[in-house]
Amino acid sequence: MLVITRREGEEVVIGDPRNPIGVVRIASIKGDRVRVAFDFPRAIDVHRREVADQIIAAEPAIAAAAPAS
């Protein structure tokens, strides 16, 4: 895991700097709340951890409900 310090308005480039996969920017900091902006192609899914966990938990239920082929 990479841990870095960024200030408001600063960015992190993901991938090759000449042709990045995406960019993460610190949009704002207010008290203990940090707003993070993600600029990635629509083909790349970006989820909050709690949403990603819900998607993972729902996969067995989806597979069980799918008709057998």
Side-chain angles (χ1 to χ4, degrees), residues 40-63:
F40 283 82
R42 289 192 180 269
I44 298 177
D45 292 335
V46 178
H47 301 287
R48 294 174 298 162
R49 170 50 66 189
E50 59 272 19
V51 172
D53 290 343
Q54 290 173 358
I55 292 168
I56 292 167
E59 286 176 354
I62 293 169

Side-chain angles (χ1 to χ4, degrees), residues 7-53:
R7 290 187 172 88
E8 190 171 321
E10 293 182 335
E11 298 179 335
V12 176
V13 176
I14 309 295
D16 181 353
R18 289 177 291 283
N19 187 22
I21 295 168
V23 177
V24 179
R25 182 174 52 89
I26 305 304
S28 66
I29 303 170
K30 294 181 182 172
D32 63 347
R33 306 288 283 189
V34 177
R35 292 185 61 164
V36 181
F38 298 91
D39 185 10
F40 283 82
R42 289 192 180 269
I44 298 177
D45 292 335
V46 178
H47 301 287
R48 294 174 298 162
R49 170 50 66 189
E50 59 272 19
V51 172
D53 290 343

